[in-house]
Amino acid sequence: MKLNKLVNTSADVEIKGITNDSREVSPGFLFGALPDTAYVADAVAKGAVAVIVPQEYDGKGVKGVEFIRSENPSYTYAQAVARYFGKTPEHLAAITGTNGKTSIADFVRQVLTMMGYKAASIGTLGLIVGNEAPIPSPNTTPNNVALHRELKQIADDGVNYTILEASSHGLHQNRLGGLTFEVAGFTNLTRDHLDYHKTFENYLDAKLILFRQNLKQGGTAVLNADIDVYGKIAAVCEQRGQKIISYGVGGQDIKLLNSEALPHGQRLDIEYFGQQKSIEIPLAGKFQAMNVLCALGILAALTGLPDDVVHYIDKIKGAKGRLELVGTTVNGAGVYVDYAHTPDALENVLQALRPHTQGKLHVVFGCGGNRDSGKRPIMGKIAHDLADVVYITDDNPRFEEAEDIRNEIIPACPGAYNIGDRAKAIQMAIDNLLPGDVLVVAGKGHETGQYIKGEIKHFSDHEEILKNI
């Protein structure tokens, strides 16, 4: 493909590949110098014939290459990648927010598949097409090339509906910069990733890129009416002429009127585009009710068939590792796994399980290393206030000392067990369960590895639970 078909230039250099990783450059490649220009010379030495660089880059000492200067190099690169791969599924949707993205993307894919469409989801669980097994991905939002390679492949295979999880990192780094969505949803905004974004305002601004840049003018935004930042998000959407579907207790279009806990889920009474509906879902907790409402809004907008999609929503299954009942002990105590690794998510999970707990509510959790350390005492207090028995353990300590992380949680959670070995913590928690008790092992969800001192060691909460029940 010619360079002038990918970026704004008159040069008709033939491009044989595209990457922003200098280690992957081969002769004839277009190289995106992101996030800086440190590897430009290395990329050119390996055969790059064109390089996307910041506007101010002088290019001294580097010859025989086309420089594409840009005020926003990551966006220019994203557009070039999109044009290089060219093809995506016909209907694209995205979901952003702190919590709920994975469940919502999974619900949307499940319902579309039940309706007979060939649908896929891309996110934390990887790439899932229809009801096939996931193809894992290292990131919630894959890098530009990996994402567009997947989109082209599934489009070639006949997939016509795809929903993507849009992480704040992915949006800020323009990994979705070359995509246009028909529908985009926003779940909630609570403390997370402040190690990267530094301030809550920056975090929100990264999420808003989805609506300012990627959701097409005239597209539909599905927004949680109950969150504090609803007005700010809605204002951005209105400026771009986007239709808004609001959901929640305060929703105008999909309104939660009442929820009733059932032994294996809950009944939701809703007002759905002006009609009264009662639906049963096999999922516990108000946050899952909100996830279902968001999924309904996305499905209604994406298909244009609101009356049809609502008939399938009660057949959904929970996403792996999202308040998932892994099993019960011989005395009948339930053991759940959840991905909750933020204060809001942990609070939601514990509140969701309380109505299903006749005895004591137990929780095993920890906090990740080299991430926002400010949330550690907050999560400790939430566990102390909402659970009856708490086990503090390790959760991806990365390059930090695991004991130091636990010591930042413990002061806010007096009386908690402090057990660094996660397998032993799970074993002890299960051994302590009595009839009517419930245990949730929180933080890792579907993950099958522990990040410790630069190594990924195999570890699965699911496997450890099944060994002990």
Side-chain angles (χ1 to χ4, degrees):
M1 184 176 289
K2 299 293 186 181
L3 180 63
N4 55 20
K5 300 294 184 184
L6 302 176
V7 294
N8 185 20
T9 180
S10 59
D12 65 350
V13 179
E14 185 68 27
I15 298 299
K16 298 180 180 178
I18 186 168
T19 185
N20 66 344
D21 186 338
S22 63
R23 295 168 296 183
E24 297 176 355
V25 172
S26 293
F29 267 48
L30 168 61
F31 176 64
L34 311 171
D36 55 47
T37 57
Y39 296 98
V40 170
D42 186 38
V44 172
K46 290 182 177 179
V49 293
V51 183
I52 297 170
V53 293
Q55 194 70 43
E56 64 275 12
Y57 181 69
D58 59 20
K60 288 182 180 178
V62 182
K63 301 185 183 301
V65 63
E66 283 289 332
F67 285 116
I68 312 301
R69 291 179 169 81
S70 171
E71 295 288 350
N72 190 346
S74 64
Y75 185 61
T76 300
Y77 172 74
Q79 290 182 308
V81 172
R83 290 166 185 158
Y84 183 82
F85 285 93
K87 189 175 182 180
T88 67
E90 182 181 358
H91 302 288
L92 293 178
I95 179 68
T96 196
T98 305
N99 300 310
K101 298 186 296 294
T102 300
S103 291
I104 292 166
D106 208 62
F107 298 160
V108 169
R109 175 189 49 76
Q110 286 183 51
V111 170
L112 289 170
T113 301
M114 284 187 273
M115 292 176 70
Y117 298 111
K118 196 161 185 184
S121 57
I122 296 175
T124 306
L125 299 179
L127 167 65
I128 306 177
V129 177
N131 296 317
E132 297 175 9
I135 300 172
S137 169
N139 303 106
T140 296
T141 306
N143 69 60
N144 302 80
V145 170
L147 177 58
H148 280 275
R149 185 178 287 123
E150 284 185 345
L151 289 171
K152 184 179 188 305
Q153 180 62 58
I154 61 178
D156 287 342
D157 290 343
V159 171
N160 49 8
Y161 283 90
T162 300
I163 180 165
L164 294 87
E165 293 181 51
S167 69
S168 59
H169 291 73
L171 288 164
H172 184 257
Q173 295 167 11
N174 271 314
R175 291 183 222 156
L176 299 175
L179 293 173
T180 300
F181 298 99
E182 297 175 23
V183 184
F186 198 113
T187 62
N188 47 58
L189 195 75
T190 61
R191 182 176 182 134
D192 200 14
H193 303 307
L194 296 192
D195 56 303
Y196 180 87
H197 296 290
K198 307 305 180 187
T199 69
F200 200 74
E201 290 72 22
N202 290 345
Y203 182 36
L204 172 60
D205 192 64
K207 296 290 191 185
L208 289 176
I209 291 170
L210 180 60
F211 302 90
R212 287 198 307 260
Q213 180 174 288
N214 297 106
L215 179 59
K216 71 178 184 180
Q217 291 191 352
T220 301
V222 181
L223 308 180
N224 183 346
D226 299 339
I227 59 176
D228 293 341
V229 293
Y230 171 80
K232 292 182 179 179
I233 307 167
V236 170
C237 297
E238 288 165 357
Q239 289 170 5
R240 290 190 33 90
Q242 293 157 352
K243 178 185 175 183
I244 295 172
I245 292 177
S246 67
Y247 70 93
V249 175
Q252 294 296 307
D253 305 284
I254 305 176
K255 186 179 185 68
L256 180 61
L257 302 173
N258 186 53
S259 61
E260 178 187 352
L262 302 174
H264 299 290
Q266 58 186 311
R267 179 183 295 109
L268 308 180
D269 295 321
I270 63 174
E271 186 177 303
Y272 181 70
F273 300 106
Q275 298 179 339
Q276 302 285 316
K277 301 278 186 184
S278 182
I279 56 177
E280 291 188 11
I281 57 173
L283 309 161
K286 183 182 176 183
F287 74 98
Q288 285 285 39
M290 294 293 284
N291 290 342
V292 166
L293 300 189
C294 184
L296 277 173
I298 291 172
L299 285 160
L302 197 58
T303 64
L305 301 170
D307 292 335
D308 290 354
V309 298
V310 75
H311 294 304
Y312 292 91
I313 202 71
D314 62 348
K315 299 178 180 65
I316 58 173
K317 298 177 181 178
K320 186 171 178 60
R322 271 62 181 176
L323 206 58
E324 178 186 358
L325 178 62
V326 178
T328 56
T329 63
V330 291
N331 62 19
V335 184
Y336 291 78
V337 162
D338 192 82
Y339 191 51
H341 58 278
T342 67
D344 181 66
L346 184 62
E347 181 177 358
N348 284 334
V349 164
L350 293 174
Q351 289 177 337
L353 288 174
R354 179 58 74 180
H356 300 270
T357 307
Q358 296 174 335
K360 290 183 177 181
L361 179 57
H362 301 240
V363 61
V364 173
F365 85 101
C367 291
N370 303 109
R371 296 293 186 270
D372 178 11
S373 61
K375 68 184 182 183
R376 294 169 188 172
I378 298 173
M379 292 179 69
K381 186 175 189 309
I382 288 169
H384 178 264
D385 291 348
L386 299 180
D388 301 305
V389 187
V390 180
Y391 307 80
I392 297 170
T393 190
D394 296 344
D395 181 348
N396 293 336
R398 297 183 176 87
F399 292 96
E400 284 193 64
E401 292 299 326
E403 184 179 2
D404 293 343
I405 298 172
R406 298 196 307 277
N407 286 340
E408 291 185 36
I409 304 171
I410 288 169
C413 198
Y417 292 97
N418 180 0
I419 307 168
D421 186 318
R422 194 173 179 95
K424 289 182 179 178
I426 292 171
Q427 181 182 21
M428 178 183 281
I430 292 174
D431 287 345
N432 288 342
L433 293 176
L434 298 174
D437 286 359
V438 168
L439 165 65
V440 58
V441 181
K444 295 182 63 59
H446 64 286
E447 293 178 351
T448 56
Q450 276 272 60
Y451 292 74
I452 303 171
K453 301 294 184 184
E455 293 184 48
I456 301 176
K457 299 183 178 182
H458 180 79
F459 190 92
S460 163
D461 286 347
H462 290 77
E463 291 174 10
E464 295 303 321
I465 290 167
L466 293 173
K467 285 179 188 176
N468 289 285
I469 59 174

